Amino acid sequence: MTISSLRRDLLTRPIFQWAQGVLPALSQTERDAIDAGDVWWDAALFTGDPDWNELLSFPMPQLRPDEQAFMDGPVEKLCAMVDEWTMTWETRDLPPEVWTFLKQNKFFGMIIPKQYGGLGFSAYGHAEVVRRIATRSVSAAVTTMVPNSLGPGELIMRFGTKAQQDHWLPRLADGREIPAFGLTSPEAGSDASAMVDEGVVCRGTWEGREVLGIRLNWHKRYITLGPVCTVLGLAFKLRDPDRLLGDEEDIGITCALVPTTTPGVEIGRRHLPAFQTFQNGPNWGKDVFIPMDLVIGGAERVGQGWKMLMTALAAGRGISLPALSGAAAAFSALTTGSYSRVRQQFGISIGKFEGVQERLARIAGNAYLVDGTRRLTCAGLDMGRHPSVISALLKSGATERMRVVVNDAMDVHGGKAIIEGPRNYMGAQYRAIPVGITVEGANILTRSLMVFGQGAIRAHPYMLREILALGDADPEKGLADFDEAFWSHVAHALRNGIRTFARSWTNGALSPAPDAGRARRFYRQAGRYSAGFALASDIALLTLGGDLKRKEMLSARLGDILSELYFLSGALKRWEDEGRQEADFPLLQWCADTAFATIEQRFDEVFANLPNRPAAWLLRAAILPFGVHRRGPSDRTTQVCAELLLHPSKTRDRLVENVYVGGKDQAVGQLIDAFERVVATQPIHDRLKAQKIRDWKVAAEQGLVSVAEIAELQAADKAVAEVIAVDDFAHDGLATQARAQARSGAVSDRSAGAQGDGEIPDRPGQGEARSFEARQ
């Protein structure tokens, strides 16, 4: 008998039996979610010893020539065609000519390969298009991104049959078909297993012939593009009571394509999500028969719907909503910095007040951070990775930072951002926040259940192997696999314990770091916290076992640490990719200081709440031997970051790159014009201030400024007055709008579909968009 067999029988077997009783078996839904996608940099962070040189070796994402041409041409023209105020408060829709433009220029086919008539854009190209449009109109961006994110197009590309790809992809690419995907129902949001939408395998008539197919009954809501879609991707539970496909009756969640002209399909009236005007609404079907050919992937793919959806989300969540978040952050940085420069109180620009500077720095730092992490993730996607855990934490973390940034922008703008009207460029961004927070996986559940819950299994070096071994149908094979994985796990944990102790007690001095100039110390600290995170994860899993799944607050805190490490990785990579710009270093400093303070706070909260107190004391001594001492960015760093938004510079340009400004007849264009005029006339004000003259008009009376300078100063003052002005309306005009809305009525999902909607065309281009006044 060998030493390994003795170890297996004497030591491993009792542990194996104990673990089988402690750790719950994975449900099929959990297996599908874990199997979907793959791991990437998250796995490196979970090891506790990430190779930072590997991070820096990832290619820098760049637009291809065709993608840049699309940005400079159709995207720029689209931004000029949409007007958020008109769409929100008058037409409640994109103009018909915009719908036509989107189709003609294949905005709905960005991810579809060129061989099928699509644009074949990279993940980064797709993300940049969405980001650019979102700086002009969130509703236009959502309309553009949905067909390219989770939806029939991506599912057909990945899982469809050749016949489905040949038929549907060209039609989706050129806009002949408008897709939507129906997943959420009144009974099931985040809990897909609660779905009551059902399909039954049966025989029926399709196009005049009897075929094997599915009879569907469903009710979906919150479906983006639902009111205007021509083909509905549908998720439902499939049953086969007559065993027409095989021996199973309950086949599981399945995805199919349902043309909306199919008898029994009903498209409801529209939802109005937070006053965003992208098309969204309910739909349902009663005894809708479709042939088996319309199951995505055909009969061979029945029951694989949840895995298909999770795989698609692994990519989509890493592109669409992070792009919206990056757009909101960059837009807020541009507008809030400019407004803080031109708006004065007590005789000075409000950007000089430290309270305002604190908000400006947070806007600037988060804009740098979110975009760096977004770019890193796009690089991974374009390398062929589909990192499901990273996509989840990026979506959650980016949209939460979007919330912080836009709220800060609103606070700095004050009344300017509160009073609605064409001059208010912040209102639509603010109203869009809850949409980004909620869709594609609500942030509350993503943070508390998915990031660490799935990451601990999927990205951990050994955990998944152990769990699969515990559930093996062959007990002896399971024991053998568990023996190998478990003792490797033990060795890994011991190494991490030593590594954590050494790095923490030397304050990161023993952490490896690449040759990264001034940023080297950040890598050392990130390596230190990565080791601590790996150790804390193992101890939490060891002491809590399956109960950790139910300790959602502990799981969320551990997930926050992983998220902070990943976001900081994105900022570090950005600084390296952009050539270690010295002027940008304060932004990187802000990101690192904020991340380290958050990480230490989360560690402290984990130790305070871990049920096993001796384990908590051990972890505290190993990871935070000197206590929580990170306090976030210093006042000096905060002030420097704020100043970056108040003055023209290459750093500012990089931070607000690709934000749509528009002409001087538009609100943002007017703001930038005023900003440039104020900056240009600053030397004149400085000269007069040195002479103790605060009002240039007094200086003009004394002949201390030239005629040309007077003209410049007058133009600057006029431009500033235009910017700080807000809109007002005649009472009768607002009352007319209110009456029009009251007459349209508010109805339930079900009754809406029964009554129809005469105010808004069911399909883009059918009928003309009308203002409130025209509808009277």
Side-chain angles (χ1 to χ4, degrees):
M1 183 175 288
T2 63
I3 294 176
S4 60
S5 62
L6 279 172
R7 180 190 69 190
R8 185 178 64 242
D9 292 334
L10 296 178
L11 296 178
T12 309
R13 191 178 296 276
I15 297 171
F16 181 74
Q17 293 170 344
W18 168 81
Q20 283 181 314
V22 171
L23 294 177
L26 291 177
S27 68
Q28 188 57 49
T29 301
E30 289 172 320
R31 281 180 176 270
D32 288 343
I34 290 170
D35 289 342
D38 53 25
V39 295
W40 184 47
W41 188 244
D42 49 336
L45 295 171
F46 251 102
T47 66
D49 194 26
D51 182 353
W52 298 112
N53 286 308
E54 180 187 6
L55 172 72
L56 300 183
S57 72
F58 297 147
M60 174 183 174
Q62 293 180 302
L63 292 176
R64 302 189 317 239
D66 59 329
E67 294 169 341
Q68 187 62 61
F70 192 77
M71 290 284 289
D72 296 339
V75 173
E76 191 72 10
K77 187 172 181 180
L78 172 64
C79 290
M81 293 174 70
V82 295
D83 178 74
E84 194 75 31
W85 171 258
T86 301
M87 292 180 343
T88 301
W89 302 109
E90 295 183 11
T91 65
R92 295 281 200 266
D93 195 4
L94 300 179
E97 62 270 20
V98 171
W99 281 104
T100 300
F101 185 81
L102 290 170
K103 295 177 184 180
Q104 290 177 342
N105 289 274
K106 301 185 178 181
F107 278 85
F108 299 150
M110 286 191 288
I111 65 169
I112 295 175
K114 292 182 179 181
Q115 70 189 82
Y116 294 108
L119 297 176
F121 281 178
S122 65
Y124 183 61
H126 170 198
E128 286 297 283
V129 170
V130 172
R131 181 183 179 276
R132 172 73 163 174
I133 298 171
T135 64
R136 172 61 168 162
S137 166
V138 175
S139 290
V142 171
T143 301
T144 301
M145 82 186 193
V146 166
N148 294 287
S149 184
L150 175 62
E154 185 170 8
L155 293 173
I156 294 170
M157 284 169 51
R158 290 180 180 276
F159 307 106
T161 64
K162 183 65 166 59
Q164 288 172 344
Q165 293 170 348
D166 290 341
H167 175 77
W168 290 104
L169 292 181
R171 301 173 67 83
L172 291 169
D174 62 20
R176 279 177 288 168
E177 303 285 357
I178 300 295
F181 195 87
L183 176 60
T184 303
S185 60
E187 298 81 7
S190 298
D191 181 11
S193 63
M195 186 185 300
V196 298
D197 307 301
E198 183 181 74
V200 177
V201 180
C202 63
R203 291 194 170 275
T205 301
W206 180 262
E207 296 181 346
R209 56 193 177 90
E210 184 178 295
V211 297
L212 182 66
I214 301 171
R215 193 165 304 282
L216 293 162
N217 287 276
W218 77 86
H219 179 188
K220 302 291 186 180
R221 65 176 179 177
Y222 308 155
I223 309 306
T224 300
L225 297 189
V228 296
C229 72
T230 62
V231 58
L232 180 66
L234 193 69
F236 54 90
K237 285 183 175 179
L238 182 62
R239 292 193 308 110
D240 186 10
D242 296 329
R243 307 299 201 277
L244 297 176
L245 292 178
D247 295 332
E248 285 188 80
E249 177 176 351
D250 293 319
I251 294 177
I253 295 176
T254 299
C255 294
L257 301 169
V258 182
T260 54
T261 54
T262 306
V265 175
E266 295 184 64
I267 301 298
R269 301 210 310 185
R270 289 178 57 184
H271 299 315
L272 191 59
F275 276 94
Q276 300 300 302
T277 56
F278 59 85
Q279 294 279 340
N280 186 281
N283 60 75
W284 49 91
K286 181 173 177 57
D287 293 333
V288 177
F289 180 79
I290 62 170
M292 199 61 65
D293 289 346
L294 288 179
V295 171
I296 297 177
E300 294 76 15
R301 291 282 188 179
V302 296
Q304 299 181 27
W306 187 243
K307 184 176 181 179
M308 291 161 63
L309 292 170
M310 291 300 99
T311 301
L313 273 175
R317 265 195 302 222
I319 296 174
S320 54
L321 290 167
L324 294 186
S325 302
F331 182 84
S332 296
L334 176 69
T335 56
T336 312
S338 300
Y339 187 78
S340 297
R341 179 66 187 269
V342 306
R343 181 72 163 121
Q344 290 194 352
Q345 293 285 278
F346 306 106
I348 60 173
S349 296
I350 63 173
K352 294 297 182 181
F353 292 103
E354 290 191 0
V356 173
Q357 288 181 335
E358 189 174 19
R359 303 301 181 93
L360 290 175
R362 192 157 60 189
I363 292 171
N366 276 311
Y368 188 86
L369 182 71
V370 168
D371 230 49
T373 310
R374 182 184 65 86
R375 294 180 195 180
L376 172 62
T377 306
C378 285
L381 293 168
D382 285 329
M383 290 165 60
R385 311 308 292 262
H386 298 93
S388 55
V389 174
I390 283 177
S391 292
L393 71 82
L394 175 62
K395 181 269 171 180
S396 173
T399 54
E400 288 295 341
R401 286 169 172 83
M402 173 180 69
R403 172 160 35 197
V404 170
V405 163
V406 174
N407 277 331
D408 282 342
M410 293 290 292
D411 287 351
V412 173
H413 278 84
K416 170 68 178 177
I418 293 172
I419 305 303
E420 289 291 359
R423 298 173 184 265
N424 186 346
Y425 43 77
M426 285 305 307
Q429 294 285 347
Y430 181 74
R431 290 190 299 275
I433 293 173
V435 178
I437 295 291
T438 302
V439 300
E440 290 190 17
N443 282 5
I444 290 176
L445 294 185
T446 299
R447 175 177 177 261
S448 60
L449 293 177
M450 289 185 61
V451 174
F452 183 76
Q454 288 188 17
I457 297 174
R458 192 70 181 86
H460 191 283
Y462 303 104
M463 184 58 62
L464 181 58
R465 288 166 53 188
E466 292 168 334
I467 290 176
L468 293 177
L470 290 169
D472 199 303
D474 182 345
E476 290 305 313
K477 181 180 181 298
L479 176 62
D481 292 345
F482 182 81
D483 177 74
E484 180 182 351
F486 177 76
W487 293 108
S488 297
H489 189 166
V490 170
H492 165 76
L494 290 173
R495 286 193 301 269
N496 253 331
I498 296 170
R499 186 183 294 129
T500 300
F501 187 88
R503 293 179 182 181
S504 297
W505 281 82
T506 61
N507 197 28
L510 296 182
S511 295
D515 180 12
R518 293 181 66 189
R520 184 167 186 153
R521 66 181 186 271
F522 301 147
Y523 290 94
R524 292 194 185 281
Q525 292 303 317
R528 167 197 169 182
Y529 293 126
S530 175
F533 168 72
L535 179 63
S537 299
D538 278 335
I539 296 298
L541 289 164
L542 175 65
T543 59
L544 286 169
D547 287 340
L548 182 57
K549 193 176 182 179
R550 290 175 284 277
K551 295 287 187 181
E552 294 178 24
M553 287 185 279
L554 277 176
S555 178
R557 292 170 183 131
L558 290 167
D560 287 347
I561 297 170
L562 177 62
S563 295
E564 291 293 337
L565 289 169
Y566 183 72
F567 270 84
L568 181 58
S569 297
L572 290 167
K573 183 70 164 64
R574 176 178 183 172
W575 196 66
E576 192 73 21
D577 284 347
E578 292 182 335
R580 301 183 188 177
Q581 299 293 330
E582 191 63 26
D584 298 3
F585 189 78
L587 295 169
L588 182 61
Q589 178 82 57
W590 188 96
C591 293
D593 289 345
T594 301
F596 297 150
T598 302
I599 288 171
E600 289 201 354
Q601 183 64 39
R602 294 297 179 270
F603 271 134
D604 183 60
E605 292 165 359
V606 169
F607 305 154
N609 292 281
L610 194 66
N612 189 307
R613 299 316 300 153
W617 300 331
L618 175 65
L619 285 173
R620 187 179 292 277
I623 298 173
L624 296 179
F626 309 112
V628 177
H629 67 280
R630 300 279 182 178
R631 297 182 177 84
S634 68
D635 290 353
R636 176 59 184 159
T637 297
T638 297
Q639 290 170 330
V640 172
C641 289
E643 289 289 336
L644 291 174
L645 296 185
L646 298 173
H647 305 277
S649 69
K650 291 182 178 179
T651 295
R652 188 178 191 265
D653 291 343
R654 282 188 290 271
L655 204 59
V656 303
E657 185 180 18
N658 282 331
V659 172
Y660 182 80
V661 172
K664 294 179 183 179
D665 60 335
Q666 296 170 355
V668 178
Q670 289 175 346
L671 172 63
I672 301 307
D673 176 59
F675 172 79
E676 291 171 350
R677 292 180 183 278
V678 167
V679 169
T681 55
Q682 189 62 50
I684 304 174
H685 287 289
D686 291 342
R687 191 181 78 227
L688 297 178
K689 186 177 180 181
Q691 300 176 51
K692 299 184 178 180
I693 299 176
R694 291 187 173 275
D695 189 341
W696 66 264
K697 295 173 183 176
V698 174
E701 293 173 357
Q702 298 177 8
L704 298 177
V705 288
S706 68
V707 173
E709 288 175 329
I710 290 174
E712 285 186 69
L713 292 165
Q714 286 176 330
D717 282 359
K718 182 179 179 181
V720 170
E722 283 291 326
V723 164
I724 65 175
V726 296
D727 296 285
D728 51 50
F729 303 89
H731 175 75
D732 288 347
L734 291 179
T736 298
Q737 293 187 13
R739 286 193 298 272
Q741 293 179 54
R743 280 200 299 272
S744 69
V747 293
S748 68
D749 290 351
R750 186 61 187 161
S751 62
Q755 295 176 32
D757 187 347
E759 296 282 37
I760 295 179
D762 290 332
R763 297 287 186 273
Q766 292 185 2
E768 296 182 357
R770 294 172 293 164
S771 68
F772 281 109
E773 288 75 19
R775 289 205 292 264
Q776 304 313 305

